[in-house]
Amino acid sequence: MKRYFGTDGIRGRVGEWPITAEFMLKLGRAVGAVLARRGGAVNVVIGKDTRVSGYMFESALEAGLVAAGAGVSLLGPMPTPAVAYLTRSLRASAGIVISASHNPHHDNGIKFFSAQGEKLDDALEEAIEAELEAPFATVASEAIGKVVRVRDAASRYAEFCKSTVPSTLDLRGLSIVLDCAHGATYQIAPTVFAELGAKVSAIGNQPDGLNINREVGSTHPQALARAVVAAGADLGIAFDGDGDRVQMVDRHGALVDGDQLLYVLATDWQASGRLRGPLVGTLMSNYGLERAMRALGVPFLRANVGDRYVLQMLKQHGGVLGGETSGHILTLDRVTSGDAIVSALQVLDVLVRTRRTLDEAVVGCAKVAQITVNVRVAGGASALVADADVQATFERVRAELEGQGRVVLRPSGTEPLVRVTVEAGDAVVVERLAAELADAVKSAASRSVG
């Protein structure tokens, strides 16, 4: 078990260990030292979202890295997938993103990319954690790293995004509302879609350091739905705070989530021959997507929750398309990590070529009723999931759903939550069983506190 790294890097509340300036200083030195042992010059790129705490952590990481002899390239506010791309493009040793993704401003975190623009493997994360236990040491003065700011980072990434779709793609005549979640896409996304010809209006594009993800973005699509209907737009696109998740809204204001977007892409790619290997979802992917893929003859596999596990399974099985209901979508023949802007462009390419509206394109993906209840706990989420009474309730719910639905019980990898998910064709049954299992978790949590 790793001490600091979770499903998606290191994350927590600002000011509480390890999300402190002191820890980030040590983390920067540890990363620099581990990379230096691999030989050759070390250069690390750092990007961040729009949280006010990003300034503090950027400075601390920068100081720790240069103390270890690493060079640093600062990108400024930049989507997570942009950091992945620029890590490769700039031939850096690694990339760092300062972000807590879809969480509120009072949280922050650190995500890493390898030189190939992919999430770090477990061995490297474990080596960094081991190095954190070593005394803080600074290299000789003449070996201290230098820092530069990459002035054209945004334009480099914007051009890359456009290069992932055919040069013939023309969005003229398409009216789009973008919700940038007051986050890292607030400058780049409107530029990309407008340069491809779309009529673009934006909400969630006025970050102040504190309003990231606040009632906007992919986790709060209601704001986008209202804006699309009010504007009479063709569709809406919502990003999360760091730009690796995407959800859409059709012309009627109905949400189109990650499962449905995967359906749009998978059906088109299968017909065109672009789809290779299985479509990979997660334990949380709606059963309706699995059923739709089966009808098309497309293999469907489920990975553990987390885009890193989707990536691993795609690589294991030679796949190019996968993702999560939340909107983490991986198109591995175009990018190395979840990229919200690129994923949205892939969907628009399908819609334009097939001359369909978004609501028409998702008709074949009939989702079943699904409820997720997030039970917030003080700690020990894994222990609560393993509690005997919770497991007994879980087994009873699973038996009742056998043959007609699914139940998933898991600790969150990013927050102090136990997530209870139930899905089946009967919405009343789903609601009842989800409530029963959530109540069992709450009771176990109360006992553990008592």
Short mmCIF file of all heavy atoms in Angstrom, two decimals, residues 289-311:
data_model
loop_
_atom_site.label_atom_id
_atom_site.label_comp_id
_atom_site.label_asym_id
_atom_site.label_seq_id
_atom_site.Cartn_x
_atom_site.Cartn_y
_atom_site.Cartn_z
N LEU A 289 -24.77 0.47 -21.81
CA LEU A 289 -23.66 0.55 -22.75
C LEU A 289 -23.13 -0.84 -23.07
O LEU A 289 -22.88 -1.16 -24.24
CB LEU A 289 -22.54 1.42 -22.16
CG LEU A 289 -21.24 1.49 -22.97
CD1 LEU A 289 -21.49 2.11 -24.34
CD2 LEU A 289 -20.17 2.28 -22.21
N GLU A 290 -22.98 -1.67 -22.06
CA GLU A 290 -22.51 -3.04 -22.28
C GLU A 290 -23.47 -3.79 -23.19
O GLU A 290 -23.05 -4.50 -24.12
CB GLU A 290 -22.38 -3.76 -20.94
CG GLU A 290 -21.91 -5.20 -21.04
CD GLU A 290 -21.76 -5.86 -19.68
OE1 GLU A 290 -21.81 -5.17 -18.66
OE2 GLU A 290 -21.58 -7.10 -19.68
N ARG A 291 -24.75 -3.62 -22.95
CA ARG A 291 -25.77 -4.30 -23.76
C ARG A 291 -25.73 -3.82 -25.21
O ARG A 291 -25.86 -4.61 -26.15
CB ARG A 291 -27.14 -4.06 -23.14
CG ARG A 291 -28.28 -4.82 -23.78
CD ARG A 291 -29.52 -4.75 -22.92
NE ARG A 291 -29.87 -3.37 -22.61
CZ ARG A 291 -30.80 -3.04 -21.71
NH1 ARG A 291 -31.42 -3.98 -21.01
NH2 ARG A 291 -31.10 -1.77 -21.50
N ALA A 292 -25.55 -2.51 -25.41
CA ALA A 292 -25.49 -1.95 -26.76
C ALA A 292 -24.26 -2.47 -27.51
O ALA A 292 -24.33 -2.76 -28.72
CB ALA A 292 -25.46 -0.43 -26.70
N MET A 293 -23.13 -2.58 -26.82
CA MET A 293 -21.93 -3.09 -27.46
C MET A 293 -22.09 -4.56 -27.84
O MET A 293 -21.65 -5.00 -28.90
CB MET A 293 -20.71 -2.92 -26.53
CG MET A 293 -20.29 -1.47 -26.33
SD MET A 293 -19.79 -0.64 -27.86
CE MET A 293 -21.28 0.32 -28.23
N ARG A 294 -22.74 -5.31 -26.98
CA ARG A 294 -22.97 -6.73 -27.27
C ARG A 294 -23.81 -6.88 -28.54
O ARG A 294 -23.55 -7.74 -29.39
CB ARG A 294 -23.66 -7.39 -26.08
CG ARG A 294 -23.78 -8.91 -26.22
CD ARG A 294 -24.58 -9.52 -25.09
NE ARG A 294 -24.05 -9.12 -23.79
CZ ARG A 294 -24.79 -8.65 -22.79
NH1 ARG A 294 -26.08 -8.47 -22.96
NH2 ARG A 294 -24.24 -8.35 -21.64
N ALA A 295 -24.81 -6.02 -28.70
CA ALA A 295 -25.67 -6.08 -29.88
C ALA A 295 -24.89 -5.76 -31.15
O ALA A 295 -25.23 -6.26 -32.24
CB ALA A 295 -26.84 -5.10 -29.72
N LEU A 296 -23.84 -4.94 -31.03
CA LEU A 296 -23.02 -4.57 -32.19
C LEU A 296 -21.87 -5.54 -32.43
O LEU A 296 -21.13 -5.41 -33.40
CB LEU A 296 -22.44 -3.17 -31.99
CG LEU A 296 -23.43 -2.00 -32.05
CD1 LEU A 296 -22.77 -0.72 -31.58
CD2 LEU A 296 -23.97 -1.84 -33.47
N GLY A 297 -21.70 -6.49 -31.52
CA GLY A 297 -20.59 -7.42 -31.64
C GLY A 297 -19.26 -6.84 -31.21
O GLY A 297 -18.20 -7.36 -31.60
N VAL A 298 -19.30 -5.79 -30.40
CA VAL A 298 -18.07 -5.15 -29.90
C VAL A 298 -17.75 -5.69 -28.51
O VAL A 298 -18.58 -5.56 -27.60
CB VAL A 298 -18.22 -3.62 -29.84
CG1 VAL A 298 -16.98 -2.98 -29.22
CG2 VAL A 298 -18.46 -3.05 -31.23
N PRO A 299 -16.60 -6.29 -28.28
CA PRO A 299 -16.25 -6.77 -26.94
C PRO A 299 -16.23 -5.60 -25.95
O PRO A 299 -15.75 -4.51 -26.28
CB PRO A 299 -14.85 -7.36 -27.12
CG PRO A 299 -14.72 -7.63 -28.58
CD PRO A 299 -15.54 -6.60 -29.27
N PHE A 300 -16.75 -5.85 -24.76
CA PHE A 300 -16.80 -4.81 -23.72
C PHE A 300 -16.19 -5.35 -22.45
O PHE A 300 -16.60 -6.41 -21.95
CB PHE A 300 -18.24 -4.37 -23.47
CG PHE A 300 -18.37 -3.29 -22.43
CD1 PHE A 300 -18.12 -1.97 -22.75
CD2 PHE A 300 -18.73 -3.60 -21.12
CE1 PHE A 300 -18.24 -0.96 -21.80
CE2 PHE A 300 -18.84 -2.60 -20.16
CZ PHE A 300 -18.60 -1.28 -20.50
N LEU A 301 -15.19 -4.64 -21.93
CA LEU A 301 -14.52 -5.05 -20.69
C LEU A 301 -14.67 -3.96 -19.65
O LEU A 301 -14.77 -2.78 -19.98
CB LEU A 301 -13.04 -5.31 -20.95
CG LEU A 301 -12.69 -6.41 -21.97
CD1 LEU A 301 -11.18 -6.50 -22.15
CD2 LEU A 301 -13.27 -7.75 -21.54
N ARG A 302 -14.64 -4.36 -18.38
CA ARG A 302 -14.74 -3.41 -17.27
C ARG A 302 -13.44 -3.40 -16.47
O ARG A 302 -12.99 -4.45 -15.99
CB ARG A 302 -15.91 -3.76 -16.34
CG ARG A 302 -17.28 -3.60 -16.96
CD ARG A 302 -18.37 -3.95 -15.97
NE ARG A 302 -19.69 -3.88 -16.56
CZ ARG A 302 -20.45 -2.78 -16.60
NH1 ARG A 302 -20.00 -1.66 -16.03
NH2 ARG A 302 -21.63 -2.80 -17.17
N ALA A 303 -12.87 -2.22 -16.32
CA ALA A 303 -11.68 -2.02 -15.48
C ALA A 303 -12.11 -1.47 -14.13
O ALA A 303 -13.27 -1.05 -13.95
CB ALA A 303 -10.72 -1.05 -16.16
N ASN A 304 -11.20 -1.46 -13.18
CA ASN A 304 -11.47 -0.76 -11.93
C ASN A 304 -11.67 0.72 -12.21
O ASN A 304 -11.23 1.25 -13.23
CB ASN A 304 -10.30 -0.94 -10.95
CG ASN A 304 -10.23 -2.34 -10.40
OD1 ASN A 304 -11.25 -3.02 -10.26
ND2 ASN A 304 -9.03 -2.81 -10.09
N VAL A 305 -12.33 1.41 -11.29
CA VAL A 305 -12.61 2.83 -11.48
C VAL A 305 -11.30 3.61 -11.47
O VAL A 305 -10.43 3.41 -10.62
CB VAL A 305 -13.56 3.34 -10.39
CG1 VAL A 305 -13.73 4.85 -10.48
CG2 VAL A 305 -14.91 2.66 -10.52
N GLY A 306 -11.15 4.52 -12.41
CA GLY A 306 -9.93 5.31 -12.55
C GLY A 306 -9.39 5.17 -13.96
O GLY A 306 -9.26 4.06 -14.48
N ASP A 307 -9.10 6.31 -14.59
CA ASP A 307 -8.67 6.25 -15.99
C ASP A 307 -7.35 5.51 -16.16
O ASP A 307 -7.08 4.95 -17.22
CB ASP A 307 -8.60 7.65 -16.59
CG ASP A 307 -7.63 8.57 -15.87
OD1 ASP A 307 -7.54 8.51 -14.64
OD2 ASP A 307 -6.97 9.38 -16.55
N ARG A 308 -6.51 5.47 -15.12
CA ARG A 308 -5.25 4.74 -15.23
C ARG A 308 -5.51 3.25 -15.43
O ARG A 308 -4.76 2.57 -16.14
CB ARG A 308 -4.36 4.98 -14.02
CG ARG A 308 -4.89 4.41 -12.72
CD ARG A 308 -4.00 4.75 -11.54
NE ARG A 308 -2.66 4.20 -11.71
CZ ARG A 308 -1.61 4.57 -11.02
NH1 ARG A 308 -1.74 5.53 -10.10
NH2 ARG A 308 -0.43 4.03 -11.21
N TYR A 309 -6.59 2.73 -14.81
CA TYR A 309 -6.91 1.31 -14.95
C TYR A 309 -7.56 1.03 -16.30
O TYR A 309 -7.36 -0.06 -16.87
CB TYR A 309 -7.80 0.87 -13.80
CG TYR A 309 -7.15 1.11 -12.46
CD1 TYR A 309 -7.69 2.02 -11.55
CD2 TYR A 309 -5.98 0.44 -12.11
CE1 TYR A 309 -7.07 2.28 -10.34
CE2 TYR A 309 -5.36 0.67 -10.89
CZ TYR A 309 -5.91 1.59 -10.01
OH TYR A 309 -5.29 1.84 -8.81
N VAL A 310 -8.31 1.99 -16.80
CA VAL A 310 -8.85 1.85 -18.16
C VAL A 310 -7.69 1.81 -19.16
O VAL A 310 -7.67 0.98 -20.08
CB VAL A 310 -9.79 3.03 -18.50
CG1 VAL A 310 -10.25 2.96 -19.95
CG2 VAL A 310 -11.01 3.02 -17.57
N LEU A 311 -6.72 2.70 -18.96
CA LEU A 311 -5.54 2.73 -19.84
C LEU A 311 -4.80 1.40 -19.80
O LEU A 311 -4.41 0.85 -20.85
CB LEU A 311 -4.62 3.87 -19.42
CG LEU A 311 -3.29 3.99 -20.16
CD1 LEU A 311 -3.51 4.26 -21.64
CD2 LEU A 311 -2.42 5.09 -19.53
#
